[in-house]
Amino acid sequence: MSTENSKFKDFNFAEGELLLINKPYKWTSFDVVGKIRNSLKPLKLKVGHAGTLDPLATGLLIICTGKLTKQIDTFQAEEKEYTGTMVLGATTPSFDMETETDQTFDISNITETQIYDACKPFIGDIEQYPPAHSAVKINGERLYVKARLGEEVELRKRFVNVPEFEITRIALPEIDFRIVCSKGTYIRSLVSDFGKQLNNGAYLSKLTRTRSGNFLLADSFEVLELVNYIRSKKEETKAQQEA
């Protein structure tokens, strides 16, 4: 693989690299971190991500290595942009496709005008509750662990900011959207609340992070693309040392 490709370079992982990764569907954010960390062995480096993506979401995941891991909180605090699809007329306990539908609603009388108007209350400073099936910690335990055990979950509201929220396609029961939001915004919760705004139900069926701060998904690596490059450079270095 040639370094002529502008995405590739002679990385210095120990000093610190910021890597833009397109997280695959059904991978956890930690799966990505682990794959990259393993590719760097025998180097023992800190590797971390700046902002979790749910397993069922795809898109931009910022990975930091070495000394740059000290700046993870700064990158994590940046504004995010997503595109996604919601399904109107049904709900799930997890607010996405992780769990089965638990309620259905009639959507035959819902108009496109009502759908566009339902966006308005979600623009600006809003309050929301995280999904019960989320990685938020309450008293040191992640909510999704308690939720999957069927235990009662105490949800605490949070305040977030949504500068932009627009509907980009309506093909009921599917609705496509684009959203720009602050750190800590739960898109699943917003979709669930959107359904309630229409006196109906909705759950998230697809989500892609397209931007984090000034970093774009368009500039990201596929995980295996990067891992294979790292391994090829290690083999190249080893061959040079043995020559």
Side-chain angles (χ1 to χ4, degrees), residues 146-211:
K146 298 171 72 70
R148 287 169 183 168
L149 292 172
E151 298 179 13
E152 187 173 333
V153 173
E154 176 193 358
L155 300 178
R156 299 173 184 173
K157 68 181 177 182
R158 57 174 61 189
F159 295 90
V160 297
N161 181 262
V162 180
E164 299 178 49
F165 178 37
E166 64 172 345
I167 303 301
T168 56
R169 181 183 72 103
I170 299 174
L172 293 178
E174 291 189 342
I175 300 172
D176 290 353
F177 61 89
R178 184 186 71 86
I179 187 167
V180 177
C181 56
S182 64
K183 169 194 172 184
T185 304
Y186 273 95
I187 310 300
R188 285 184 285 154
S189 292
L190 190 146
V191 165
S192 176
D193 291 341
F194 184 88
K196 293 173 184 175
Q197 183 69 23
L198 290 166
N199 295 314
N200 209 278
Y203 66 88
L204 184 67
S205 62
K206 185 178 180 182
L207 187 68
T208 300
R209 184 188 286 160
T210 55
R211 178 174 65 83

Side-chain angles (χ1 to χ4, degrees), residues 97-168:
M97 294 175 64
E98 181 186 338
T99 53
E100 297 293 324
T101 299
D102 60 355
Q103 281 186 289
T104 58
F105 303 81
D106 179 19
I107 61 173
S108 59
N109 293 322
I110 293 181
T111 66
E112 290 194 357
T113 298
Q114 288 175 316
I115 291 171
Y116 287 120
D117 286 345
C119 288
K120 295 173 184 176
F122 299 100
I123 298 174
D125 293 322
I126 64 171
E127 62 180 55
Q128 61 173 199
Y129 289 88
H133 290 253
S134 71
V136 170
K137 283 186 177 181
I138 299 292
N139 297 325
E141 189 171 12
R142 297 200 183 277
L143 290 186
Y144 68 78
V145 174
K146 298 171 72 70
R148 287 169 183 168
L149 292 172
E151 298 179 13
E152 187 173 333
V153 173
E154 176 193 358
L155 300 178
R156 299 173 184 173
K157 68 181 177 182
R158 57 174 61 189
F159 295 90
V160 297
N161 181 262
V162 180
E164 299 178 49
F165 178 37
E166 64 172 345
I167 303 301
T168 56

